[in-house]
Amino acid sequence: MPRFQFKALRKDGSTVGGEIEAVDQDAAYVAVEKRQLSPFFLKQRTESALLDALRARKITRKDQSIFIRQLATLLRAGVGLLEAMKSLTKSNANPAMAKIANAIRADLRAGQRLSGALENHMKDLPRYVPRLAELGEATGTLAKALSDAAERMEFDDNMRTEIRGALSYPMFLAGVGGLIVILMFVFVVPRFDALIGDNRDDLPAISSLVISTGVWMKANILMFLAIVGALTVGIGFIARNEKARTNFRIFVEKLPLIGGFLIQAEIGGWARTMGIALDNGADILTALRLGGAGLQSRELKDGLDGATSEIRAGRNIDEVLEEHLPAMDALSIDLIRTGRNSGALADMLLFIADTQEKNTKERAKQLTALAEPAAILLIALIVGTIVLSIVLAMTSLYEFDI
C-alpha cells in the first residue's frame, strides 16, 4: 500500500510531520484529519528504483516458511487477518516479500479468502500450503493450519539442507580435482609431447591417448571452453525445466544409496503432511491428496494414486500402502495399522515423519563419510593415470639396464 508524507497543523498551531499509509491521496488526507490535524502538505513517498533493486533479493523457500510462521503466530495471538498482514508488510526485511504481503492484504480487503490469495501471489509456494489454509478456513482453525504448514515447510527445508550438506563437500572436491586435471592437460602434458617428438613407435597406448588429449586441449582451448560452457548451460536447463528435473530425479532414485535416501526423505514429508491434515480435521482422502501434493518422486506419486483409488473403494489404508508403496518399511506400515485401529492415525503419521527425519540425518552423515573418500579416490586415479602415462612415455624412449 502507498505511503504518504505529510505536514499538518495541530490545534495549538504547531507543525507536525510524518508518514501515513493509505489507498490513495484522498484516503491519506482523511486519515490525517482523523488524528485531529489540519494537513497542508501531502505527497506520496517515492523510493529510488535503484535502491529498491539493491534491497530486493530473490524470495527463498525459507523466506516463505518464515512468512507463514509469522502469520500463524500473529493469528494465534488474536490479531485479525488484515491487521496481521499489515504488520507483515511493514516488518518484512525483504521488499519483494513485503510487496507480496501487501498484495495479499489487498485481495483480503476485496473479499477473497487467504488460501486463494496465497495461490495468486505466491505461485511457487508448495501446493499443500494453500490447501491447508483452505482446510483451516473451513474448520475455523486457520492459525493452527498455517502453523502446521510452516512446520512441514521447515521439515522440507531441513531435508534439503541435509541432502545438500551430504553432497556439497564431495562436489567441491570433485570440482577442485577436475580443475587440477584440466590444468595438467593444458600446461603440463603438452610439454612432454615436444620431448618425445616423432619417436612414437614404442609409445604405450595410454600414454599416446593422454598426450594427444593434452595437445588437442591446448591447441583448441577456446573450443574446449565452449564445450564446458555448453555443458553448464545444459545443466542449468535441466535445473529449470520441470520435465527434465523429473527425468533426472527418476534416474537418481535408481542409484544405490542415494536413491533410497531420497525416497525415505519423501516418505517422511508425505507422512508429516498426512498427519497435519488429519490433525486439522481433514478426512482420509483429503489428507491423501494433500500428502501427494508435496511429493516429487514419480514412483511414490504413481503408487499413491493407485492406493487412493482403492482406499476410496473402502479398503484399509495400511493394506493398500503395503501393496502400492513397497519403499515404505514394515515398521511404518505397522504404525499406520495401529493408528487406524486406535483412532490415532494422525499421531502415528507424525511419529513416522519424526523417525524418518532422524534416519535421513543419519544416512546423510553416512553418505558424506562414503562420498568424501570416493571423490578423493577418483581424483587420485585420474591424476595417477596421467602421471603414469607420462612416466611410461618417457621410459619407452630409453632402455635401462637393471
Side-chain angles (χ1 to χ4, degrees):
M1 186 175 295
R3 298 183 67 82
F4 294 85
Q5 295 175 329
F6 71 88
K7 292 182 180 179
L9 295 174
R10 295 192 180 97
K11 290 184 177 181
D12 60 4
S14 61
T15 302
V16 64
E19 291 186 2
I20 194 167
E21 190 178 72
V23 177
D24 53 31
Q25 191 165 8
D26 291 339
Y29 192 91
V30 172
V32 174
E33 286 188 325
K34 287 183 177 179
R35 297 183 179 184
Q36 305 299 318
L37 300 172
S38 300
F40 60 86
F41 172 83
L42 188 65
K43 183 180 179 181
Q44 184 173 345
R45 176 183 171 186
T46 57
E47 291 190 355
S48 166
L50 176 61
L51 180 60
D52 285 344
L54 291 174
R55 290 173 55 198
R57 58 180 173 82
K58 183 180 178 181
I59 296 174
T60 64
R61 186 59 60 85
K62 187 173 183 179
D63 290 329
Q64 293 177 339
S65 64
I66 291 174
F67 175 83
I68 298 297
R69 173 69 71 186
Q70 289 174 335
L71 178 57
T73 301
L74 290 171
L75 294 177
R76 280 182 180 273
V79 180
L81 187 55
L82 282 173
E83 190 63 29
M85 201 60 65
K86 181 179 180 181
S87 176
L88 290 175
T89 301
K90 294 179 178 180
S91 64
N92 207 295
N94 187 347
M97 200 72 240
K99 185 177 180 181
I100 288 175
N102 195 38
I104 292 174
R105 183 167 181 257
D107 283 359
L108 294 175
R109 294 186 61 172
Q112 190 170 351
R113 289 190 172 188
L114 177 63
S115 53
L118 289 174
E119 283 186 304
N120 290 340
H121 300 289
M122 301 177 74
K123 297 187 183 298
D124 58 340
L125 197 66
R127 287 180 291 175
Y128 57 79
V129 177
R131 297 286 71 80
L132 284 171
E134 184 179 6
L135 181 64
E137 289 167 337
T139 59
T141 57
L142 180 58
K144 183 178 185 305
L146 289 174
S147 179
D148 291 340
E151 182 178 346
R152 168 65 205 273
M153 292 179 71
E154 290 160 1
F155 174 86
D156 290 344
D157 190 56
N158 288 336
M159 292 299 99
R160 282 191 295 270
T161 301
E162 293 293 336
I163 293 171
R164 289 171 183 169
L167 300 177
S168 59
Y169 186 60
M171 289 179 66
F172 171 76
L173 288 176
V176 172
L179 180 60
I180 292 172
V181 170
I182 292 172
L183 293 175
M184 289 184 69
F185 270 118
V186 174
F187 296 105
V188 178
V189 175
R191 291 177 178 270
F192 291 91
D193 180 66
L195 293 175
I196 294 171
D198 297 329
N199 190 11
R200 298 174 181 266
D201 295 337
D202 298 327
L203 200 65
I206 184 65
S207 300
S208 179
L209 177 62
V210 169
I211 292 174
S212 298
T213 301
V215 171
W216 181 90
M217 287 178 63
K218 184 175 182 180
N220 301 274
I221 187 65
L222 294 179
M223 183 183 296
F224 174 74
L225 293 176
I227 293 172
V228 172
L231 289 174
T232 304
V233 172
I235 293 172
F237 171 78
I238 292 175
R240 290 190 299 269
N241 184 274
E242 184 175 355
K243 185 176 180 180
R245 284 201 310 269
T246 300
N247 292 332
F248 180 73
R249 174 94 187 192
I250 293 172
F251 168 75
V252 172
E253 286 179 1
K254 294 179 180 178
L255 297 176
L257 297 178
I258 297 177
F261 174 71
L262 293 176
I263 290 291
Q264 293 305 314
E266 285 270 273
I267 290 175
W270 169 83
R272 187 170 297 280
T273 304
M274 279 277 295
I276 287 171
L278 292 172
D279 196 41
N280 281 277
D283 59 80
I284 187 68
L285 292 175
T286 300
L288 283 166
R289 179 169 55 85
L290 286 171
L295 290 175
Q296 298 182 34
S297 169
R298 178 58 56 188
E299 176 186 342
L300 292 179
K301 281 185 176 181
D302 293 341
L304 192 61
D305 288 342
T308 302
S309 299
E310 296 196 27
I311 293 171
R312 187 179 289 111
R315 292 193 62 191
N316 292 328
I317 181 173
D318 50 286
E319 298 171 356
V320 174
L321 291 178
E322 189 172 14
E323 294 176 8
H324 290 271
L325 295 180
M328 185 172 288
D329 60 276
L331 177 60
S332 297
I333 296 295
D334 287 340
L335 288 171
I336 291 174
R337 182 179 296 113
T338 301
R340 174 180 61 81
N341 291 330
S342 64
L345 182 57
D347 293 335
M348 289 300 177
L349 286 166
L350 292 173
F351 177 76
I352 291 171
D354 292 336
T355 302
Q356 290 291 357
E357 183 177 11
K358 293 177 182 177
N359 291 340
T360 299
K361 290 180 179 179
E362 290 299 320
R363 296 191 68 175
K365 293 178 182 178
Q366 294 172 2
L367 280 176
T368 303
L370 291 173
E372 289 178 16
I376 294 172
L377 178 61
L378 178 61
I379 296 166
L381 285 174
I382 296 173
V383 174
T385 300
I386 295 173
V387 173
L388 179 62
S389 66
I390 293 173
V391 172
L392 290 175
M394 299 307 297
T395 56
S396 68
L397 300 178
Y398 307 96
E399 293 183 1
F400 294 94
D401 292 330
I402 302 177

PDB file of all heavy atoms in Angstrom, residues 45 97 99 115 122 129 147 188 192 199 247 259 291 300 303 307 324 357 373:
ATOM      1  N   ARG A  45       5.073   9.042  -1.055  1.00  0.00           N
ATOM      2  CA  ARG A  45       6.505   8.763  -0.906  1.00  0.00           C
ATOM      3  C   ARG A  45       6.968   7.897  -2.075  1.00  0.00           C
ATOM      4  O   ARG A  45       6.348   6.882  -2.400  1.00  0.00           O
ATOM      5  CB  ARG A  45       6.749   8.034   0.412  1.00  0.00           C
ATOM      6  CG  ARG A  45       8.189   7.598   0.628  1.00  0.00           C
ATOM      7  CD  ARG A  45       8.301   6.822   1.921  1.00  0.00           C
ATOM      8  NE  ARG A  45       9.609   6.216   2.058  1.00  0.00           N
ATOM      9  CZ  ARG A  45       9.949   5.383   3.034  1.00  0.00           C
ATOM     10  NH1 ARG A  45       9.066   5.088   3.969  1.00  0.00           N
ATOM     11  NH2 ARG A  45      11.142   4.865   3.082  1.00  0.00           N
ATOM     12  N   MET A  97       9.106  -9.659  -0.558  1.00  0.00           N
ATOM     13  CA  MET A  97       8.152 -10.361   0.309  1.00  0.00           C
ATOM     14  C   MET A  97       7.125  -9.392   0.879  1.00  0.00           C
ATOM     15  O   MET A  97       5.941  -9.720   1.009  1.00  0.00           O
ATOM     16  CB  MET A  97       8.928 -11.036   1.445  1.00  0.00           C
ATOM     17  CG  MET A  97       8.191 -12.165   2.144  1.00  0.00           C
ATOM     18  SD  MET A  97       8.039 -13.648   1.158  1.00  0.00           S
ATOM     19  CE  MET A  97       6.255 -13.794   1.079  1.00  0.00           C
ATOM     20  N   LYS A  99       6.087  -6.719  -0.587  1.00  0.00           N
ATOM     21  CA  LYS A  99       5.182  -6.390  -1.693  1.00  0.00           C
ATOM     22  C   LYS A  99       4.117  -7.461  -1.861  1.00  0.00           C
ATOM     23  O   LYS A  99       2.941  -7.162  -2.096  1.00  0.00           O
ATOM     24  CB  LYS A  99       5.997  -6.243  -2.985  1.00  0.00           C
ATOM     25  CG  LYS A  99       5.186  -5.786  -4.185  1.00  0.00           C
ATOM     26  CD  LYS A  99       6.086  -5.590  -5.394  1.00  0.00           C
ATOM     27  CE  LYS A  99       5.251  -5.134  -6.606  1.00  0.00           C
ATOM     28  NZ  LYS A  99       6.120  -4.954  -7.808  1.00  0.00           N
ATOM     29  N   SER A 115      -6.514 -18.507   1.310  1.00  0.00           N
ATOM     30  CA  SER A 115      -5.996 -19.607   0.501  1.00  0.00           C
ATOM     31  C   SER A 115      -5.890 -19.213  -0.967  1.00  0.00           C
ATOM     32  O   SER A 115      -4.892 -19.508  -1.632  1.00  0.00           O
ATOM     33  CB  SER A 115      -6.898 -20.838   0.646  1.00  0.00           C
ATOM     34  OG  SER A 115      -8.256 -20.503   0.376  1.00  0.00           O
ATOM     35  N   MET A 122       1.766 -16.173  -4.457  1.00  0.00           N
ATOM     36  CA  MET A 122       2.934 -16.989  -4.097  1.00  0.00           C
ATOM     37  C   MET A 122       2.839 -18.303  -4.870  1.00  0.00           C
ATOM     38  O   MET A 122       2.622 -19.373  -4.303  1.00  0.00           O
ATOM     39  CB  MET A 122       2.988 -17.216  -2.584  1.00  0.00           C
ATOM     40  CG  MET A 122       3.065 -15.936  -1.776  1.00  0.00           C
ATOM     41  SD  MET A 122       3.056 -16.178   0.027  1.00  0.00           S
ATOM     42  CE  MET A 122       4.713 -16.816   0.289  1.00  0.00           C
ATOM     43  N   VAL A 129       0.303 -25.898   1.077  1.00  0.00           N
ATOM     44  CA  VAL A 129       0.116 -24.759   1.980  1.00  0.00           C
ATOM     45  C   VAL A 129      -1.238 -24.088   1.770  1.00  0.00           C
ATOM     46  O   VAL A 129      -2.015 -23.931   2.724  1.00  0.00           O
ATOM     47  CB  VAL A 129       1.278 -23.752   1.843  1.00  0.00           C
ATOM     48  CG1 VAL A 129       1.024 -22.537   2.736  1.00  0.00           C
ATOM     49  CG2 VAL A 129       2.605 -24.399   2.209  1.00  0.00           C
ATOM     50  N   SER A 147       0.309 -22.810  11.039  1.00  0.00           N
ATOM     51  CA  SER A 147       1.459 -23.206  11.856  1.00  0.00           C
ATOM     52  C   SER A 147       1.956 -24.586  11.448  1.00  0.00           C
ATOM     53  O   SER A 147       3.171 -24.815  11.323  1.00  0.00           O
ATOM     54  CB  SER A 147       1.067 -23.200  13.333  1.00  0.00           C
ATOM     55  OG  SER A 147       2.146 -23.597  14.147  1.00  0.00           O
ATOM     56  N   VAL A 188      50.864 -29.000 -18.553  1.00  0.00           N
ATOM     57  CA  VAL A 188      51.921 -29.950 -18.211  1.00  0.00           C
ATOM     58  C   VAL A 188      52.119 -31.003 -19.302  1.00  0.00           C
ATOM     59  O   VAL A 188      53.231 -31.197 -19.814  1.00  0.00           O
ATOM     60  CB  VAL A 188      51.631 -30.629 -16.854  1.00  0.00           C
ATOM     61  CG1 VAL A 188      52.718 -31.649 -16.519  1.00  0.00           C
ATOM     62  CG2 VAL A 188      51.515 -29.582 -15.750  1.00  0.00           C
ATOM     63  N   PHE A 192      55.587 -32.628 -22.640  1.00  0.00           N
ATOM     64  CA  PHE A 192      56.220 -33.928 -22.911  1.00  0.00           C
ATOM     65  C   PHE A 192      56.058 -34.330 -24.370  1.00  0.00           C
ATOM     66  O   PHE A 192      56.818 -35.169 -24.861  1.00  0.00           O
ATOM     67  CB  PHE A 192      55.625 -34.991 -21.978  1.00  0.00           C
ATOM     68  CG  PHE A 192      56.014 -34.801 -20.544  1.00  0.00           C
ATOM     69  CD1 PHE A 192      55.224 -34.050 -19.685  1.00  0.00           C
ATOM     70  CD2 PHE A 192      57.183 -35.359 -20.057  1.00  0.00           C
ATOM     71  CE1 PHE A 192      55.589 -33.869 -18.367  1.00  0.00           C
ATOM     72  CE2 PHE A 192      57.549 -35.175 -18.736  1.00  0.00           C
ATOM     73  CZ  PHE A 192      56.761 -34.432 -17.888  1.00  0.00           C
ATOM     74  N   ASN A 199      59.332 -39.811 -32.209  1.00  0.00           N
ATOM     75  CA  ASN A 199      59.673 -41.177 -31.807  1.00  0.00           C
ATOM     76  C   ASN A 199      58.520 -41.791 -31.013  1.00  0.00           C
ATOM     77  O   ASN A 199      58.556 -41.860 -29.774  1.00  0.00           O
ATOM     78  CB  ASN A 199      60.963 -41.163 -30.979  1.00  0.00           C
ATOM     79  CG  ASN A 199      61.492 -42.555 -30.735  1.00  0.00           C
ATOM     80  OD1 ASN A 199      61.028 -43.521 -31.327  1.00  0.00           O
ATOM     81  ND2 ASN A 199      62.484 -42.650 -29.855  1.00  0.00           N
ATOM     82  N   ASN A 247      12.783 -36.314 -14.998  1.00  0.00           N
ATOM     83  CA  ASN A 247      13.549 -37.438 -15.559  1.00  0.00           C
ATOM     84  C   ASN A 247      14.864 -37.641 -14.807  1.00  0.00           C
ATOM     85  O   ASN A 247      15.281 -38.781 -14.565  1.00  0.00           O
ATOM     86  CB  ASN A 247      13.822 -37.186 -17.040  1.00  0.00           C
ATOM     87  CG  ASN A 247      12.554 -37.244 -17.876  1.00  0.00           C
ATOM     88  OD1 ASN A 247      11.596 -37.933 -17.525  1.00  0.00           O
ATOM     89  ND2 ASN A 247      12.534 -36.523 -18.983  1.00  0.00           N
ATOM     90  N   GLY A 259      19.460 -43.124  -4.057  1.00  0.00           N
ATOM     91  CA  GLY A 259      18.047 -43.300  -4.398  1.00  0.00           C
ATOM     92  C   GLY A 259      17.193 -43.605  -3.178  1.00  0.00           C
ATOM     93  O   GLY A 259      16.152 -42.981  -2.954  1.00  0.00           O
ATOM     94  N   GLY A 291      -1.118 -34.898   0.986  1.00  0.00           N
ATOM     95  CA  GLY A 291       0.179 -35.544   1.099  1.00  0.00           C
ATOM     96  C   GLY A 291       0.834 -35.756  -0.253  1.00  0.00           C
ATOM     97  O   GLY A 291       2.036 -35.529  -0.424  1.00  0.00           O
ATOM     98  N   LEU A 300       6.629 -42.696  -6.089  1.00  0.00           N
ATOM     99  CA  LEU A 300       5.717 -42.571  -4.954  1.00  0.00           C
ATOM    100  C   LEU A 300       4.373 -41.978  -5.380  1.00  0.00           C
ATOM    101  O   LEU A 300       3.324 -42.388  -4.876  1.00  0.00           O
ATOM    102  CB  LEU A 300       6.356 -41.708  -3.865  1.00  0.00           C
ATOM    103  CG  LEU A 300       7.567 -42.307  -3.144  1.00  0.00           C
ATOM    104  CD1 LEU A 300       8.110 -41.330  -2.113  1.00  0.00           C
ATOM    105  CD2 LEU A 300       7.212 -43.631  -2.487  1.00  0.00           C
ATOM    106  N   GLY A 303       2.357 -44.723  -7.098  1.00  0.00           N
ATOM    107  CA  GLY A 303       1.887 -45.675  -6.103  1.00  0.00           C
ATOM    108  C   GLY A 303       0.775 -45.110  -5.242  1.00  0.00           C
ATOM    109  O   GLY A 303      -0.209 -45.795  -4.931  1.00  0.00           O
ATOM    110  N   ALA A 307      -3.123 -46.278  -4.674  1.00  0.00           N
ATOM    111  CA  ALA A 307      -3.602 -46.534  -3.314  1.00  0.00           C
ATOM    112  C   ALA A 307      -4.850 -45.723  -3.010  1.00  0.00           C
ATOM    113  O   ALA A 307      -5.797 -46.225  -2.377  1.00  0.00           O
ATOM    114  CB  ALA A 307      -2.495 -46.198  -2.312  1.00  0.00           C
ATOM    115  N   HIS A 324       1.061 -50.861  -2.620  1.00  0.00           N
ATOM    116  CA  HIS A 324       1.389 -49.875  -3.642  1.00  0.00           C
ATOM    117  C   HIS A 324       2.649 -49.071  -3.348  1.00  0.00           C
ATOM    118  O   HIS A 324       3.180 -48.412  -4.253  1.00  0.00           O
ATOM    119  CB  HIS A 324       0.211 -48.910  -3.836  1.00  0.00           C
ATOM    120  CG  HIS A 324      -0.974 -49.539  -4.483  1.00  0.00           C
ATOM    121  ND1 HIS A 324      -1.147 -49.575  -5.850  1.00  0.00           N
ATOM    122  CD2 HIS A 324      -2.053 -50.178  -3.957  1.00  0.00           C
ATOM    123  CE1 HIS A 324      -2.277 -50.190  -6.145  1.00  0.00           C
ATOM    124  NE2 HIS A 324      -2.853 -50.568  -5.008  1.00  0.00           N
ATOM    125  N   GLU A 357      12.884 -38.304   9.643  1.00  0.00           N
ATOM    126  CA  GLU A 357      13.792 -37.160   9.682  1.00  0.00           C
ATOM    127  C   GLU A 357      15.101 -37.533  10.376  1.00  0.00           C
ATOM    128  O   GLU A 357      16.195 -37.186   9.892  1.00  0.00           O
ATOM    129  CB  GLU A 357      13.135 -35.987  10.395  1.00  0.00           C
ATOM    130  CG  GLU A 357      13.990 -34.729  10.405  1.00  0.00           C
ATOM    131  CD  GLU A 357      13.299 -33.548  11.048  1.00  0.00           C
ATOM    132  OE1 GLU A 357      12.238 -33.745  11.671  1.00  0.00           O
ATOM    133  OE2 GLU A 357      13.813 -32.430  10.921  1.00  0.00           O
ATOM    134  N   PRO A 373      35.807 -39.940   0.638  1.00  0.00           N
ATOM    135  CA  PRO A 373      36.922 -40.774   0.148  1.00  0.00           C
ATOM    136  C   PRO A 373      36.723 -41.220  -1.290  1.00  0.00           C
ATOM    137  O   PRO A 373      37.698 -41.401  -2.023  1.00  0.00           O
ATOM    138  CB  PRO A 373      36.928 -41.971   1.108  1.00  0.00           C
ATOM    139  CG  PRO A 373      35.591 -41.980   1.760  1.00  0.00           C
ATOM    140  CD  PRO A 373      35.130 -40.561   1.797  1.00  0.00           C
TER     141      PRO A 373
END
